[in-house]
Amino acid sequence: MRTPLTELTGVRYPLVQTGMGWVAGPRLVSAVANAGALGVLGAATMTPGQLRSAVREVRSRTDRPFGVNLRADAGDVAVRVGIIVEEGVRVASFALAPSRDLIARLKDAGVVVIPSVGARRHAEKVAAWGADAVVVQGGEGGGHTGGVATSVLLPQVVDAVDIPVVAAGGFHDGRGLVAALAFGAAGVAMGTRFLLTADSTVPAAVKAAYLAATVTDVTVTTKVDGLPHRMLRTPFVTALEHSGRTATLVRALRHAAAFRTLSGLGWTSLLRDGLAMRHGRDLSWSQVLLAANTPMLLKAAMVDGRTDGGVMAAGQVTGLIDDLPTCAELVQRVMNQAWETVAGLGAGQGPGER
C-alpha cells in the first residue's frame, strides 16, 4: 500500500510503531521493521551511549528503515541528533516540537523529521519550519494526551498543512487504517497495539493486566507529572490521585534522584531540562518536579513488571485488544483487513444505483 508516508520513509506499509520509553527497544523495533512497518526506538529513557548501542543492535537485526524518537527539550538533544546522523538513522521523531535549527540540521543530513503534535497550531508551526511529516495524536491516545478526539483533530490538521499527516490515538486494526486514510491521513501510528505483541519485551504480568482491561479501565490523570496522562486505572493510580501534596512532592523528589542515578544526569542537567519543560507552558515548579515521576513509574511496570507500583500508559483501544500476535502477524492482519474493508466499501451501491 503506497502512500506519502511509505514514499517518504521507504517502508512497505503505512503503519508506525510509536517510540515508547522502556518499551520500544531493539527487539520490538527490528520486528516491526522486518514486518514492513516503521519501527521507532524510544530513546528518551536511554543514555546517549545506550542509544548508539540500540541503533547498532537494530541495524544488526534488520536492513529495513527505522526511526528514533527524541525529546526535543532534552539538554543533550544535540548530542543525540549527532548520533542519529552518524549512525545513518532514516527517521527522527519527536514527542514535542523540535526547533527550526534542529529540523534543519537533521534535514541537511538526509534524516526524515516527523514531530508528534496534539493541536493544529503546532502542526502548522513545525510544517512551516520544514518538518517532512507530522504525527497527530487525538485524545484517545496513551501517555500524554489532549482533549480533542482523533476524528475531529485529524481532518482539522489534514486541511491545515501540506505535508503527510500520520494519525494516532484509537488505532489497532485495518478498519482504523482505512478510516484514517479516508480522513486524508498518510498512515496510522500505534503504541498500545505494538506493546501488546509477542515481540514486545514488556513483562508477562503487565501484558496480562492490559489484556484484562476494558475500555472503561483506561483513565486520564494529572497526578503522575502534572499533565494529562492516559493510563490504566489501577489501585496504585487511584492512590496517587488521593495522595496529599506533601506526599506527592516527596515521592517526586525520590524518583528524580533515582532517575538521575539511572540516566547519569547531574542535578544541573535535570534543572536545565526542567527549565526547558517550563518554557512556553504554564507549569509550576511543582509540576516540573512531578515530571520526574514519569520515567521511574513507567520503568516500574514496563521493565520491572510491577503492576502494583508502576504506571501503565494506555490508549483507549486497550479494551479492544485480546491477543499477543507477533509483529509480522499483526501487520499482515491489519493490512489484510484494510484491503477487505476497502473491497467491502466498493461492493456497495454505486452512484447510478441510488
Side-chain angles (χ1 to χ4, degrees):
M1 182 178 285
R2 295 177 63 182
T3 75
L5 174 66
T6 63
E7 296 292 323
L8 181 65
T9 62
V11 298
R12 185 175 183 184
Y13 304 121
L15 304 173
V16 178
Q17 161 255 304
T18 59
M20 300 164 281
W22 306 118
V23 175
R27 189 171 105 180
L28 178 61
V29 171
S30 58
V32 171
N34 284 326
L38 181 65
V40 180
L41 277 169
T45 52
M46 300 177 184
T47 65
Q50 289 169 338
L51 170 58
R52 191 183 295 275
S53 295
V55 168
R56 291 179 176 178
E57 184 176 346
V58 174
R59 187 82 68 203
S60 73
R61 292 169 175 258
T62 184
D63 59 359
R64 305 285 182 86
F66 65 95
V68 170
N69 180 263
L70 301 172
R71 271 186 55 199
D73 59 353
D76 61 353
V77 67
V79 174
R80 294 169 184 269
V81 165
I83 292 172
I84 287 177
V85 172
E86 292 164 12
E87 297 295 332
V89 174
R90 175 67 173 168
V91 175
S93 71
F94 292 88
L96 295 171
S99 67
R100 189 195 300 266
D101 290 343
L102 208 56
I103 292 174
R105 179 183 174 189
L106 286 162
K107 286 173 66 71
D108 287 346
V111 181
V112 175
V113 181
I114 309 180
S116 295
V117 300
R120 182 183 65 182
R121 67 182 186 278
H122 297 150
E124 292 171 332
K125 178 173 69 174
V126 296
W129 287 354
D132 296 291
V134 65
V135 174
V136 54
Q137 178 177 304
E140 300 94 323
H144 291 122
T145 193
V148 181
T150 304
S151 59
V152 175
L153 183 61
L154 176 58
Q156 184 184 46
V157 173
V158 168
D159 290 344
V161 300
D162 59 1
I163 58 176
V165 176
V166 181
F171 298 100
H172 75 291
D173 63 8
R175 295 171 300 180
L177 172 58
V178 173
L181 295 176
F183 273 120
V188 299
M190 303 184 293
T192 306
R193 178 63 275 196
F194 278 112
L195 183 156
L196 294 173
T197 59
D199 296 301
S200 164
T201 58
V202 171
V206 174
K207 290 182 181 179
Y210 277 99
L211 294 177
T214 68
V215 291
T216 58
D217 292 324
V218 182
T219 188
V220 176
T221 181
T222 60
K223 276 296 187 175
V224 172
D225 57 8
L227 298 172
H229 202 135
R230 187 176 290 285
M231 62 189 66
L232 288 190
R233 162 72 66 186
T234 64
F236 177 69
V237 171
T238 299
L240 283 180
E241 292 181 334
H242 289 89
S243 60
R245 182 172 181 176
T246 299
T248 297
L249 292 179
V250 169
R251 184 181 65 250
L253 277 170
R254 185 173 68 251
H255 288 142
F259 184 62
R260 183 184 71 85
T261 301
L262 189 68
S263 65
L265 295 174
W267 286 109
T268 300
S269 296
L270 288 177
L271 180 60
R272 183 174 61 244
D273 284 356
L275 286 168
M277 287 183 63
R278 291 188 81 205
H279 180 68
R281 278 172 278 177
D282 187 22
L283 296 182
S284 67
W285 276 111
S286 294
Q287 287 175 309
V288 171
L289 182 57
L290 282 171
N293 280 342
T294 306
M296 298 311 295
L297 291 179
L298 287 170
K299 178 181 179 293
M302 301 305 169
V303 178
D304 303 333
R306 292 192 56 196
T307 59
D308 63 328
V311 160
M312 291 174 276
Q316 284 185 304
V317 295
T318 298
L320 304 179
I321 298 171
D322 58 8
D323 64 350
L324 299 170
T326 66
C327 288
E329 291 168 342
L330 173 62
V331 168
Q332 201 57 58
R333 179 197 302 175
V334 170
M335 296 311 304
N336 287 344
Q337 188 182 38
W339 285 120
E340 290 169 2
T341 301
V342 170
L345 293 172
Q349 291 182 332
E353 300 173 294
R354 292 176 185 169

